[in-house]
Amino acid sequence: MKVTSVVITPVAFADPPLLNAVGVHEPYALRAVVEVRTDTGAYGLGESYGDAAHLELLGHVADELTGLDPFDLNDLSRRAEGAVGGRTAADAHGLIGAGGAAKTVASVTSPFEVACHDLQGKHLGRPVSDLLGGATRDRVDFCGYLFAKWAAHPGHAPDAWGPALDAAGLVAQARLMADRFGFRSFKLKGGVLPPDEEVAAVRALREAFPGHPLRLDPNASWDPATAVRIAGELAGVLEYLEDPVAGIPAMADVARAAAMPLATNMCVVTWEDLTRAVPAGAVGVLLGDHHFWGGLRASQHLATCCRHFGIGMSMHSNSHLGISLAAMVHLAAATPAIGHDLDTHWPWKRPEDDVVTVPWRFENGAVTVPRTPGLGVELDREALARLHEQYLACGLTHRDDTGYLARAAPTVRLREDVHEPARPPRPDRLRPHRNDAP
């Protein structure tokens, strides 16, 4: 089995006005769907970010994959690193930690690695979880991801979720999440309301959902003194406090004073970060993300390291489609060290906005691990074409929460140090990239 061609299709799907420490989600989220085709007629699927700069790098890798054996992941890594050639794709929204050459290579490799696992599973007639060591559970639990939000994007009709700008609104949002998806744990995206108001919201959630694990993530928007104070006020309430401050030294200082573990997907995003965070005692729970750690195998290596050093593990989430959800489910099922409910943005996506033929279902906050070959999902080509046309029509080419907030609510000011300048789009990367074109 050899790779004959690769098609990368940028897509856009509707996204509600979810608020965070750097701004607000734009009306559309951007993703890239990767399809790796082989001489056997089989195809493998991967999913990644849809920003123009990232699409360009994905295209460089795609051009180097003809003839690749999908079982030879070492060869994939060599080809991807050579294609990236030291380029760095900076994070455009400031919510997943610092960028760098190593992180860029890992991010660009990941969707192709997932697609190769999909191909391997289809070729062998086994689910991806079997390739990763075997499923240790048949269901994977997720947590309800709560956001402060507006009732609607400016100029748009109100969405079905309604506004959530105080404790009562967030509790109402959590009740909807619990009713629709059965979540038994909740995470609040913080750094939006004043810290004391977010404490009040967490306490209101605790009262409304006694016994449900709760998390708070202000995306490194607090100073250390505020973080220590809030950690003290929420001692015994939070399962963990995620990224209250920026950087490993500050996280270590807060960790020494906090009663609960500190979690991160921002200060530890590369292996080098891990070698500094462990001796500093900065992190108690690491939120791995196969999208920027290099794929499924690398994420399992990360889980082994976390287990060795006594660090818990969960998974970070960005706005995603069903291919990414499949990869997360297989990875978690085959990785016992992932012991916390996973993050997911899934509830914020409209059911009709996906590219897989069979919709995913959440029952009691969990997803059943597929036992069909590969990832267990197939590509809905009509839906893919529709979401690609939506990508072309929406006019967005990179994620810019801060810029959108400035346009939509110009009186609101956020920190200036988190905003990356806009990059001009590459017209040749706005349409599907194919390496089999004549």
Side-chain angles (χ1 to χ4, degrees), residues 103 157 172 212 214 223 232 253 255 263 268 382:
K103 186 179 178 185
H212 289 55
L214 301 177
D223 58 57
D253 289 342
V268 178
E382 290 186 5

Side-chain angles (χ1 to χ4, degrees), residues 233 298 339 436:
E233 293 184 20
D436 60 345

Side-chain angles (χ1 to χ4, degrees), residues 165-167 193-202:
L165 295 170
D166 56 20
L193 305 174
D196 290 333
E197 292 185 28
E198 292 181 349
V199 169
V202 171

